[in-house]
């Protein structure tokens, strides 16, 4: 497992997020625009103005940086940086910031159970020992147990250790051992009586313990060797020797199904399954114990070299440990919040199936009126082909006393639910999941589409489940707290660890809050970051287009923006806007509709294209409005004025002119207007006025630009430094006309973004134009096929490899 963890960290699965892929395509499109600009520059400057080659080359290179802004990649990360900072303040740490945007598209969340949905600490509710191969009534006071294999198993079969006088280890082991009221002593000088090795010993806290010096053979058990718990094996075991005993003993603890499979059949009670279901259906976590005496000649040296499989066999079944594991108080409201936001929730656990189903019902993953269909697959054996049995789970309100009647009432139960035939959930065990993947791969999409509870899943199977969900088109999140979740946490689009141990190393997100309340927090911040990234990207794209249009107009006149004009636009306006427009906090409520994840979605493309057309029209209207003024005299290029720069002779760029001034002021306001228009609030971010620093910055920039445009007194800063013509001194009325054009640009831009692009009517109109015959995502297609298939789900029948193919063919024909 450790090697798989390291491998998953060193070679993580690529995200493949569409937003980043589309961003590269869009940058390529801006590159095409740059090529068009170069061709335009060469043609205009050489053919129209006969400019020298050096001037043409400088301006052609200049237009490349105009069309493709070098700051675009950095600007796109700003929203993510703010989201990462906000997450840190809320106790969620992120080691992979690019995953934050991906969280904005999460459609399904997988949850581990123990320690994630339920409390970390397990309380020992009681034990169910055996007598003459029959279960005794539950014993809730472990002190009532007599000394024997059952009590010895509880005292030895664990991985606890003593650090600074305090027992530490797995919480389940700790609760189990504490219930025995025994004591654990680490190796030392007092433990040399167990042959030549120095084991950990355990002994009861009784009078014979404290009077050990006066007793020749006190009751002590040495733990000779430990086989640690493995989630894939679903068990752990120890080899022990009781002081004074003639032989060693083996104790095994693990899942009931696994321990029963390793035990001698005659030692497993006939009502094993019935008693197990009695407790698991009530939400208890059930652990089984088993025991085996070794041969008298089994030495300590052989104990150190024997294979695990040779030890964990031919066991005597001892009984059950009943652990109580309550839901965390935050679990149910968070699950409801996710379901209300149309985000699927799935439980994937290593625990017992019926316990998992019970917890799923308790927390709301499975509603009270929903059916749970158990999908039980069996491997081929002899002449029997692999097959799947489909049966309804016992509804929790029926209780254990009616469990035997469930099969009889399945048909009537089905009739009662006919009005809602699609309100069902599949429950699949890890064993069945493995068989399905091997023998029924064509059914896996349907199983995982309606699967809500996956129990007894190994770490690899958790990873395979996440991959299967991703193949259906889901953006999958995973929330867990253990090392057995590492693979799934790393494979998921967004893994959230509730532990600071191994899982936090493999997971992009780690929460200091040990409950699932961090999940909607991460989704909200992901949505806010994604919308911010879209806004900044659109803004930077429009910034390039605005400046491109400005430069194209001025190149036609053999003019250009001055150095400090470029500086004012790029550094003062654009940088300020790009840095602060992503600072809007996330909206507190999760809505059902997710933000778009692609830059080529119709609404995004429409927004960009219509704003491109608008800014181009506004600049051209402002430019040509000069020609309607009687006092205006167009600039005339003579080709005689030259300037010397670094020993290079360049033709003057005619910067200080009416045309330059008008286009400069209009474009400056366009940068500010679009920064506000693209800084959207609800339903994914807080309103723009909550981003105080951004709002104040934009108002300050607008005021500063308006001050320069309307300033009626001669000012050297404007004429010499900014190279502008102060039109307002002699022609204030025309300056007011330009102001009206800018105001019209403001109104139209904001109306387009708020009343058109974001409206439900516009989205419906776009969808009607696209004429979508079937959904884009595979999981929607499969869901629709199952809804229209009258033979699905095949409850009460047995599916083999042959009729499973028939099911698939029928589904395809029906679609």
């Amino acid at each position: 497992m450790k090697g798989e963890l390291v491998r998953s960290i060193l070679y993580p699965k690529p995200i493949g997020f569409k937003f980043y892929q589309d961003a590269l395509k869009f940058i390529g499109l801006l590159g095409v625009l740059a090529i068009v600009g170069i061709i335009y520059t060469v043609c205009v400057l050489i053919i129209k103005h006969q400019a020298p080659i050096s001037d043409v080359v400088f301006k052609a290179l200049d237009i490349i940086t105009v069309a493709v802004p070098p700051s675009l990649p950095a600007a796109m990360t700003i929203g993510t940086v703010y989201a990462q900072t906000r997450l840190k303040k809320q106790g969620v740490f992120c080691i992979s910031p690019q995953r934050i945007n991906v969280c904005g598209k999460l459609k399904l969340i997988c949850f581990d159970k123990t320690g994630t949905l339920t409390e970390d600490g397990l309380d020992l509710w009681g034990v169910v020992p055996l007598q003459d191969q029959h279960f005794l009534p539950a014993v809730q006071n472990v002190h009532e147990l007599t000394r024997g294999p059952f009590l010895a198993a509880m005292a030895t079969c664990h991985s606890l250790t003593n650090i600074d006088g305090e027992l530490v280890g797995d919480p389940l082991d700790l609760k189990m051992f504490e219930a025995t009221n025994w004591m654990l002593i680490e190796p030392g000088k007092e433990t040399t009586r167990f042959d030549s090795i120095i084991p950990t010993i355990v002994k009861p806290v009784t009078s014979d313990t404290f009077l050990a010096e006066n007793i020749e053979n006190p009751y002590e058990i040495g733990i000779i060797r430990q086989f640690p718990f493995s989630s894939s094996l679903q068990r752990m075991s120890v080899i022990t020797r009781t002081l004074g005993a003639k032989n060693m003993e083996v104790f095994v603890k693990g899942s009931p199904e696994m321990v029963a499979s390793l035990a001698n059949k005659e030692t497993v009670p006939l009502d094993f399954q019935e008693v197990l279901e009695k407790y698991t259906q009530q939400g208890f976590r059930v652990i089984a114990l088993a025991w085996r005496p070794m041969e008298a000649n089994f030495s300590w040296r052989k104990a150190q070299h024997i294979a695990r499989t040779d030890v964990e066999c031919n066991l005597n079944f001892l009984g059950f440990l009943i652990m109580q594991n309550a839901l965390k108080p935050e679990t149910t409201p968070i699950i409801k919040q996710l379901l209300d936001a149309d985000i699927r929730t799935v439980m994937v656990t290593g625990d017992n199936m019926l316990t998992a189903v019970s917890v799923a019902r308790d927390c709301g993953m499975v509603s009270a009126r929903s059916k749970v269909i158990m999908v039980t697959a069996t491997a081929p054996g002899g002449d029997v082909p692999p097959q799947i049995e489909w049966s309804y789970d016992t509804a929790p309100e029926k209780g254990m006393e009616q469990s035997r009647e469930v099969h009889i009432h399945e048909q009537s139960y089905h009739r009662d639910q006919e009005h809602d035939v699609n309100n069902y959930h599949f429950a699949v065990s890890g064993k069945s999941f493995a068989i399905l993947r091997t023998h029924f791969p064509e059914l896996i999409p349907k199983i995982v589409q309606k699967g809500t509870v996956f129990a007894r899943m190994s770490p690899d199977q958790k990873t395979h489940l996440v991959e299967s969900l991703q193949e259906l088109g889901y953006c999958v999140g995973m929330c867990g707290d253990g090392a057995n979740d590492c693979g799934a946490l790393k494979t998921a689009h967004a893994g959230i660890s509730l532990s600071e141990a191994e899982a936090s190393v493999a997971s992009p997100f780690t929460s200091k809050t040990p409950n699932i309340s961090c999940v909607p927090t991460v989704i909200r911040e992901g949505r806010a970051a994604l919308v911010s990234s879209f806004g900044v990207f659109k803004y930077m794209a429009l910034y390039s287009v605005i400046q491109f249009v400005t430069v194209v107009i001025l190149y036609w006149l053999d003019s250009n923006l001055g150095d400090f004009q470029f500086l004012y636009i790029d550094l003062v306006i654009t940088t300020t806007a790009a840095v602060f427009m992503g600072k809007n906090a996330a909206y507190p409520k999760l809505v059902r509709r997710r933000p778009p994840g692609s830059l080529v979605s119709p609404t995004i493309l429409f927004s960009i294209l219509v704003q491109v057309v608008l800014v181009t029209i506004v600049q051209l209207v402002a430019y040509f409005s000069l020609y309607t003024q009687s006092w205006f005299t167009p600039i005339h290029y003579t080709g005689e004025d030259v300037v010397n720069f670094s020993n290079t002779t360049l033709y003057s760029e005619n910067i200080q002119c009416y045309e330059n001034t008008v286009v400069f002021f209009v474009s400056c306001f366009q940068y500010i207007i679009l920064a506000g228009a693209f800084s959207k609030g609800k339903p994914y971010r807080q309103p723009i006025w909550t981003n105080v620093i951004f709002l104040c910055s934009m108002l300050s920039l607008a005021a500063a630009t308006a001050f320069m445009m309307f300033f009626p007194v001669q000012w050297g800063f404007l004429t010499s430094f900014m190279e502008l013509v102060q039109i307002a001194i002699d022609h204030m009325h025309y300056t007011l006309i330009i102001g009206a054009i800018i105001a019209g640009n403001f109104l139209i831009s904001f109306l387009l973004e708020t009343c058109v692009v974001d409206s439900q009517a516009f989205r419906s109109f776009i969808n009607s134009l696209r004429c979508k015959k079937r959904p884009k995502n595979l999981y929607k297609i499969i869901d629709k096929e199952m809804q229209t298939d009258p033979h699905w789900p095949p409850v009460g029948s047995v599916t083999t490899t042959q009729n499973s193919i028939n099911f698939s063919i029928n589904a395809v024909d029906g679609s």
Side-chain angles (χ1 to χ4, degrees), residues 5-30:
L5 170 61
V6 173
R7 183 179 62 187
S8 68
I9 295 171
L10 293 177
Y11 307 104
K13 185 178 179 180
I15 298 178
F17 191 41
K18 193 167 179 58
F19 172 72
Y20 299 123
Q21 299 169 356
D22 292 343
L24 294 175
K25 296 176 183 178
F26 211 88
I27 291 174
L29 186 61
L30 293 177

PDB file of all heavy atoms in Angstrom, residues 5-30:
ATOM      1  N   LEU A   5       1.012   4.287  -2.711  1.00  0.00           N
ATOM      2  CA  LEU A   5       0.845   5.684  -2.317  1.00  0.00           C
ATOM      3  C   LEU A   5       1.929   6.542  -2.938  1.00  0.00           C
ATOM      4  O   LEU A   5       1.657   7.588  -3.527  1.00  0.00           O
ATOM      5  CB  LEU A   5       0.875   5.802  -0.789  1.00  0.00           C
ATOM      6  CG  LEU A   5       0.950   7.223  -0.202  1.00  0.00           C
ATOM      7  CD1 LEU A   5      -0.273   8.028  -0.625  1.00  0.00           C
ATOM      8  CD2 LEU A   5       1.055   7.158   1.311  1.00  0.00           C
ATOM      9  N   VAL A   6       3.190   6.082  -2.827  1.00  0.00           N
ATOM     10  CA  VAL A   6       4.301   6.841  -3.401  1.00  0.00           C
ATOM     11  C   VAL A   6       4.155   6.946  -4.910  1.00  0.00           C
ATOM     12  O   VAL A   6       4.395   8.000  -5.505  1.00  0.00           O
ATOM     13  CB  VAL A   6       5.639   6.179  -3.012  1.00  0.00           C
ATOM     14  CG1 VAL A   6       6.798   6.854  -3.729  1.00  0.00           C
ATOM     15  CG2 VAL A   6       5.847   6.241  -1.510  1.00  0.00           C
ATOM     16  N   ARG A   7       3.747   5.842  -5.550  1.00  0.00           N
ATOM     17  CA  ARG A   7       3.573   5.850  -7.008  1.00  0.00           C
ATOM     18  C   ARG A   7       2.493   6.841  -7.436  1.00  0.00           C
ATOM     19  O   ARG A   7       2.656   7.573  -8.421  1.00  0.00           O
ATOM     20  CB  ARG A   7       3.211   4.451  -7.499  1.00  0.00           C
ATOM     21  CG  ARG A   7       3.085   4.346  -9.019  1.00  0.00           C
ATOM     22  CD  ARG A   7       2.758   2.935  -9.440  1.00  0.00           C
ATOM     23  NE  ARG A   7       1.476   2.516  -8.894  1.00  0.00           N
ATOM     24  CZ  ARG A   7       0.999   1.275  -8.994  1.00  0.00           C
ATOM     25  NH1 ARG A   7       1.717   0.329  -9.566  1.00  0.00           N
ATOM     26  NH2 ARG A   7      -0.186   0.985  -8.486  1.00  0.00           N
ATOM     27  N   SER A   8       1.385   6.892  -6.673  1.00  0.00           N
ATOM     28  CA  SER A   8       0.302   7.814  -7.021  1.00  0.00           C
ATOM     29  C   SER A   8       0.735   9.257  -6.849  1.00  0.00           C
ATOM     30  O   SER A   8       0.240  10.148  -7.540  1.00  0.00           O
ATOM     31  CB  SER A   8      -0.928   7.531  -6.157  1.00  0.00           C
ATOM     32  OG  SER A   8      -0.690   7.870  -4.804  1.00  0.00           O
ATOM     33  N   ILE A   9       1.667   9.517  -5.913  1.00  0.00           N
ATOM     34  CA  ILE A   9       2.156  10.876  -5.707  1.00  0.00           C
ATOM     35  C   ILE A   9       3.126  11.270  -6.810  1.00  0.00           C
ATOM     36  O   ILE A   9       3.084  12.384  -7.343  1.00  0.00           O
ATOM     37  CB  ILE A   9       2.827  10.997  -4.322  1.00  0.00           C
ATOM     38  CG1 ILE A   9       1.791  10.773  -3.218  1.00  0.00           C
ATOM     39  CG2 ILE A   9       3.499  12.355  -4.149  1.00  0.00           C
ATOM     40  CD1 ILE A   9       2.386  10.658  -1.838  1.00  0.00           C
ATOM     41  N   LEU A  10       4.021  10.332  -7.176  1.00  0.00           N
ATOM     42  CA  LEU A  10       5.031  10.638  -8.197  1.00  0.00           C
ATOM     43  C   LEU A  10       4.429  10.717  -9.596  1.00  0.00           C
ATOM     44  O   LEU A  10       4.876  11.512 -10.423  1.00  0.00           O
ATOM     45  CB  LEU A  10       6.123   9.571  -8.174  1.00  0.00           C
ATOM     46  CG  LEU A  10       7.000   9.526  -6.918  1.00  0.00           C
ATOM     47  CD1 LEU A  10       7.992   8.378  -7.011  1.00  0.00           C
ATOM     48  CD2 LEU A  10       7.752  10.841  -6.731  1.00  0.00           C
ATOM     49  N   TYR A  11       3.415   9.898  -9.863  1.00  0.00           N
ATOM     50  CA  TYR A  11       2.822   9.846 -11.196  1.00  0.00           C
ATOM     51  C   TYR A  11       1.312  10.043 -11.106  1.00  0.00           C
ATOM     52  O   TYR A  11       0.531   9.110 -11.343  1.00  0.00           O
ATOM     53  CB  TYR A  11       3.140   8.517 -11.882  1.00  0.00           C
ATOM     54  CG  TYR A  11       4.610   8.197 -11.911  1.00  0.00           C
ATOM     55  CD1 TYR A  11       5.150   7.249 -11.040  1.00  0.00           C
ATOM     56  CD2 TYR A  11       5.470   8.866 -12.786  1.00  0.00           C
ATOM     57  CE1 TYR A  11       6.511   6.969 -11.049  1.00  0.00           C
ATOM     58  CE2 TYR A  11       6.831   8.589 -12.806  1.00  0.00           C
ATOM     59  CZ  TYR A  11       7.342   7.635 -11.938  1.00  0.00           C
ATOM     60  OH  TYR A  11       8.682   7.369 -11.945  1.00  0.00           O
ATOM     61  N   PRO A  12       0.871  11.239 -10.750  1.00  0.00           N
ATOM     62  CA  PRO A  12      -0.569  11.480 -10.626  1.00  0.00           C
ATOM     63  C   PRO A  12      -1.250  11.452 -11.977  1.00  0.00           C
ATOM     64  O   PRO A  12      -0.644  11.751 -13.014  1.00  0.00           O
ATOM     65  CB  PRO A  12      -0.641  12.883 -10.004  1.00  0.00           C
ATOM     66  CG  PRO A  12       0.636  13.540 -10.440  1.00  0.00           C
ATOM     67  CD  PRO A  12       1.664  12.446 -10.480  1.00  0.00           C
ATOM     68  N   LYS A  13      -2.522  11.089 -11.954  1.00  0.00           N
ATOM     69  CA  LYS A  13      -3.301  11.057 -13.184  1.00  0.00           C
ATOM     70  C   LYS A  13      -3.584  12.483 -13.641  1.00  0.00           C
ATOM     71  O   LYS A  13      -3.970  13.341 -12.847  1.00  0.00           O
ATOM     72  CB  LYS A  13      -4.623  10.324 -12.933  1.00  0.00           C
ATOM     73  CG  LYS A  13      -5.461  10.119 -14.182  1.00  0.00           C
ATOM     74  CD  LYS A  13      -6.720   9.343 -13.852  1.00  0.00           C
ATOM     75  CE  LYS A  13      -7.579   9.138 -15.085  1.00  0.00           C
ATOM     76  NZ  LYS A  13      -8.813   8.378 -14.774  1.00  0.00           N
ATOM     77  N   PRO A  14      -3.359  12.798 -14.941  1.00  0.00           N
ATOM     78  CA  PRO A  14      -3.623  14.167 -15.426  1.00  0.00           C
ATOM     79  C   PRO A  14      -5.073  14.570 -15.198  1.00  0.00           C
ATOM     80  O   PRO A  14      -5.988  13.740 -15.269  1.00  0.00           O
ATOM     81  CB  PRO A  14      -3.308  14.075 -16.933  1.00  0.00           C
ATOM     82  CG  PRO A  14      -2.434  12.878 -17.080  1.00  0.00           C
ATOM     83  CD  PRO A  14      -2.866  11.916 -16.007  1.00  0.00           C
ATOM     84  N   ILE A  15      -5.265  15.857 -14.912  1.00  0.00           N
ATOM     85  CA  ILE A  15      -6.612  16.349 -14.619  1.00  0.00           C
ATOM     86  C   ILE A  15      -7.470  16.341 -15.881  1.00  0.00           C
ATOM     87  O   ILE A  15      -8.601  15.879 -15.881  1.00  0.00           O
ATOM     88  CB  ILE A  15      -6.537  17.781 -14.042  1.00  0.00           C
ATOM     89  CG1 ILE A  15      -5.769  17.772 -12.725  1.00  0.00           C
ATOM     90  CG2 ILE A  15      -7.924  18.346 -13.820  1.00  0.00           C
ATOM     91  CD1 ILE A  15      -5.598  19.137 -12.120  1.00  0.00           C
ATOM     92  N   GLY A  16      -6.945  16.883 -16.980  1.00  0.00           N
ATOM     93  CA  GLY A  16      -7.720  16.950 -18.220  1.00  0.00           C
ATOM     94  C   GLY A  16      -8.909  17.876 -18.122  1.00  0.00           C
ATOM     95  O   GLY A  16      -9.975  17.576 -18.672  1.00  0.00           O
ATOM     96  N   PHE A  17      -8.758  18.996 -17.385  1.00  0.00           N
ATOM     97  CA  PHE A  17      -9.877  19.918 -17.199  1.00  0.00           C
ATOM     98  C   PHE A  17     -10.067  20.740 -18.465  1.00  0.00           C
ATOM     99  O   PHE A  17      -9.126  21.318 -19.015  1.00  0.00           O
ATOM    100  CB  PHE A  17      -9.590  20.832 -16.008  1.00  0.00           C
ATOM    101  CG  PHE A  17     -10.775  21.634 -15.553  1.00  0.00           C
ATOM    102  CD1 PHE A  17     -12.033  21.065 -15.494  1.00  0.00           C
ATOM    103  CD2 PHE A  17     -10.637  22.950 -15.182  1.00  0.00           C
ATOM    104  CE1 PHE A  17     -13.122  21.784 -15.069  1.00  0.00           C
ATOM    105  CE2 PHE A  17     -11.709  23.684 -14.745  1.00  0.00           C
ATOM    106  CZ  PHE A  17     -12.959  23.106 -14.694  1.00  0.00           C
ATOM    107  N   LYS A  18     -11.301  20.813 -18.954  1.00  0.00           N
ATOM    108  CA  LYS A  18     -11.596  21.429 -20.242  1.00  0.00           C
ATOM    109  C   LYS A  18     -11.260  22.914 -20.257  1.00  0.00           C
ATOM    110  O   LYS A  18     -10.873  23.455 -21.289  1.00  0.00           O
ATOM    111  CB  LYS A  18     -13.071  21.208 -20.596  1.00  0.00           C
ATOM    112  CG  LYS A  18     -13.405  21.525 -22.051  1.00  0.00           C
ATOM    113  CD  LYS A  18     -14.755  21.011 -22.426  1.00  0.00           C
ATOM    114  CE  LYS A  18     -15.091  21.343 -23.874  1.00  0.00           C
ATOM    115  NZ  LYS A  18     -14.112  20.804 -24.819  1.00  0.00           N
ATOM    116  N   PHE A  19     -11.395  23.573 -19.125  1.00  0.00           N
ATOM    117  CA  PHE A  19     -11.115  25.009 -19.068  1.00  0.00           C
ATOM    118  C   PHE A  19      -9.678  25.302 -19.496  1.00  0.00           C
ATOM    119  O   PHE A  19      -9.416  26.222 -20.278  1.00  0.00           O
ATOM    120  CB  PHE A  19     -11.364  25.542 -17.649  1.00  0.00           C
ATOM    121  CG  PHE A  19     -10.928  26.962 -17.448  1.00  0.00           C
ATOM    122  CD1 PHE A  19     -11.642  28.009 -18.013  1.00  0.00           C
ATOM    123  CD2 PHE A  19      -9.812  27.267 -16.690  1.00  0.00           C
ATOM    124  CE1 PHE A  19     -11.243  29.318 -17.824  1.00  0.00           C
ATOM    125  CE2 PHE A  19      -9.406  28.566 -16.496  1.00  0.00           C
ATOM    126  CZ  PHE A  19     -10.123  29.597 -17.060  1.00  0.00           C
ATOM    127  N   TYR A  20      -8.729  24.499 -18.982  1.00  0.00           N
ATOM    128  CA  TYR A  20      -7.319  24.723 -19.321  1.00  0.00           C
ATOM    129  C   TYR A  20      -7.045  24.369 -20.782  1.00  0.00           C
ATOM    130  O   TYR A  20      -6.247  25.033 -21.453  1.00  0.00           O
ATOM    131  CB  TYR A  20      -6.424  23.904 -18.393  1.00  0.00           C
ATOM    132  CG  TYR A  20      -6.570  24.266 -16.935  1.00  0.00           C
ATOM    133  CD1 TYR A  20      -6.928  23.312 -15.985  1.00  0.00           C
ATOM    134  CD2 TYR A  20      -6.369  25.571 -16.493  1.00  0.00           C
ATOM    135  CE1 TYR A  20      -7.075  23.639 -14.644  1.00  0.00           C
ATOM    136  CE2 TYR A  20      -6.511  25.907 -15.157  1.00  0.00           C
ATOM    137  CZ  TYR A  20      -6.864  24.948 -14.245  1.00  0.00           C
ATOM    138  OH  TYR A  20      -7.013  25.281 -12.921  1.00  0.00           O
ATOM    139  N   GLN A  21      -7.696  23.339 -21.277  1.00  0.00           N
ATOM    140  CA  GLN A  21      -7.516  22.973 -22.681  1.00  0.00           C
ATOM    141  C   GLN A  21      -8.052  24.064 -23.604  1.00  0.00           C
ATOM    142  O   GLN A  21      -7.411  24.434 -24.597  1.00  0.00           O
ATOM    143  CB  GLN A  21      -8.219  21.641 -22.957  1.00  0.00           C
ATOM    144  CG  GLN A  21      -7.687  20.479 -22.140  1.00  0.00           C
ATOM    145  CD  GLN A  21      -8.554  19.241 -22.228  1.00  0.00           C
ATOM    146  OE1 GLN A  21      -9.615  19.254 -22.852  1.00  0.00           O
ATOM    147  NE2 GLN A  21      -8.137  18.165 -21.583  1.00  0.00           N
ATOM    148  N   ASP A  22      -9.226  24.591 -23.268  1.00  0.00           N
ATOM    149  CA  ASP A  22      -9.812  25.659 -24.082  1.00  0.00           C
ATOM    150  C   ASP A  22      -9.002  26.943 -23.997  1.00  0.00           C
ATOM    151  O   ASP A  22      -8.946  27.714 -24.965  1.00  0.00           O
ATOM    152  CB  ASP A  22     -11.254  25.934 -23.633  1.00  0.00           C
ATOM    153  CG  ASP A  22     -12.186  24.779 -23.952  1.00  0.00           C
ATOM    154  OD1 ASP A  22     -11.797  23.933 -24.779  1.00  0.00           O
ATOM    155  OD2 ASP A  22     -13.283  24.727 -23.377  1.00  0.00           O
ATOM    156  N   ALA A  23      -8.381  27.193 -22.836  1.00  0.00           N
ATOM    157  CA  ALA A  23      -7.571  28.398 -22.679  1.00  0.00           C
ATOM    158  C   ALA A  23      -6.405  28.387 -23.662  1.00  0.00           C
ATOM    159  O   ALA A  23      -6.085  29.416 -24.282  1.00  0.00           O
ATOM    160  CB  ALA A  23      -7.062  28.506 -21.247  1.00  0.00           C
ATOM    161  N   LEU A  24      -5.790  27.204 -23.833  1.00  0.00           N
ATOM    162  CA  LEU A  24      -4.681  27.101 -24.790  1.00  0.00           C
ATOM    163  C   LEU A  24      -5.173  27.338 -26.221  1.00  0.00           C
ATOM    164  O   LEU A  24      -4.499  27.988 -27.029  1.00  0.00           O
ATOM    165  CB  LEU A  24      -4.025  25.730 -24.673  1.00  0.00           C
ATOM    166  CG  LEU A  24      -3.295  25.439 -23.346  1.00  0.00           C
ATOM    167  CD1 LEU A  24      -2.793  23.998 -23.325  1.00  0.00           C
ATOM    168  CD2 LEU A  24      -2.137  26.413 -23.144  1.00  0.00           C
ATOM    169  N   LYS A  25      -6.362  26.811 -26.531  1.00  0.00           N
ATOM    170  CA  LYS A  25      -6.927  27.035 -27.871  1.00  0.00           C
ATOM    171  C   LYS A  25      -7.210  28.520 -28.095  1.00  0.00           C
ATOM    172  O   LYS A  25      -6.975  29.060 -29.185  1.00  0.00           O
ATOM    173  CB  LYS A  25      -8.217  26.228 -28.043  1.00  0.00           C
ATOM    174  CG  LYS A  25      -8.020  24.721 -27.991  1.00  0.00           C
ATOM    175  CD  LYS A  25      -9.354  24.001 -28.075  1.00  0.00           C
ATOM    176  CE  LYS A  25      -9.182  22.493 -27.955  1.00  0.00           C
ATOM    177  NZ  LYS A  25     -10.477  21.773 -27.977  1.00  0.00           N
ATOM    178  N   PHE A  26      -7.711  29.175 -27.047  1.00  0.00           N
ATOM    179  CA  PHE A  26      -8.040  30.590 -27.182  1.00  0.00           C
ATOM    180  C   PHE A  26      -6.788  31.431 -27.349  1.00  0.00           C
ATOM    181  O   PHE A  26      -6.779  32.416 -28.098  1.00  0.00           O
ATOM    182  CB  PHE A  26      -8.824  31.050 -25.946  1.00  0.00           C
ATOM    183  CG  PHE A  26      -9.813  32.141 -26.248  1.00  0.00           C
ATOM    184  CD1 PHE A  26     -11.102  31.829 -26.651  1.00  0.00           C
ATOM    185  CD2 PHE A  26      -9.451  33.474 -26.160  1.00  0.00           C
ATOM    186  CE1 PHE A  26     -12.016  32.819 -26.938  1.00  0.00           C
ATOM    187  CE2 PHE A  26     -10.354  34.466 -26.439  1.00  0.00           C
ATOM    188  CZ  PHE A  26     -11.641  34.157 -26.838  1.00  0.00           C
ATOM    189  N   ILE A  27      -5.719  31.049 -26.649  1.00  0.00           N
ATOM    190  CA  ILE A  27      -4.448  31.754 -26.828  1.00  0.00           C
ATOM    191  C   ILE A  27      -3.952  31.574 -28.257  1.00  0.00           C
ATOM    192  O   ILE A  27      -3.409  32.496 -28.873  1.00  0.00           O
ATOM    193  CB  ILE A  27      -3.405  31.246 -25.808  1.00  0.00           C
ATOM    194  CG1 ILE A  27      -3.804  31.692 -24.395  1.00  0.00           C
ATOM    195  CG2 ILE A  27      -2.013  31.771 -26.151  1.00  0.00           C
ATOM    196  CD1 ILE A  27      -2.927  31.121 -23.305  1.00  0.00           C
ATOM    197  N   GLY A  28      -4.173  30.373 -28.801  1.00  0.00           N
ATOM    198  CA  GLY A  28      -3.827  30.156 -30.210  1.00  0.00           C
ATOM    199  C   GLY A  28      -4.628  31.054 -31.131  1.00  0.00           C
ATOM    200  O   GLY A  28      -4.103  31.562 -32.134  1.00  0.00           O
ATOM    201  N   LEU A  29      -5.913  31.274 -30.790  1.00  0.00           N
ATOM    202  CA  LEU A  29      -6.752  32.171 -31.582  1.00  0.00           C
ATOM    203  C   LEU A  29      -6.230  33.608 -31.516  1.00  0.00           C
ATOM    204  O   LEU A  29      -6.209  34.329 -32.527  1.00  0.00           O
ATOM    205  CB  LEU A  29      -8.187  32.110 -31.073  1.00  0.00           C
ATOM    206  CG  LEU A  29      -9.235  32.882 -31.879  1.00  0.00           C
ATOM    207  CD1 LEU A  29      -9.327  32.346 -33.300  1.00  0.00           C
ATOM    208  CD2 LEU A  29     -10.604  32.795 -31.207  1.00  0.00           C
ATOM    209  N   LEU A  30      -5.782  34.019 -30.313  1.00  0.00           N
ATOM    210  CA  LEU A  30      -5.179  35.351 -30.198  1.00  0.00           C
ATOM    211  C   LEU A  30      -3.880  35.440 -31.004  1.00  0.00           C
ATOM    212  O   LEU A  30      -3.536  36.499 -31.535  1.00  0.00           O
ATOM    213  CB  LEU A  30      -4.900  35.676 -28.727  1.00  0.00           C
ATOM    214  CG  LEU A  30      -6.128  35.852 -27.823  1.00  0.00           C
ATOM    215  CD1 LEU A  30      -5.699  36.100 -26.383  1.00  0.00           C
ATOM    216  CD2 LEU A  30      -6.997  37.007 -28.314  1.00  0.00           C
TER     217      LEU A  30
END
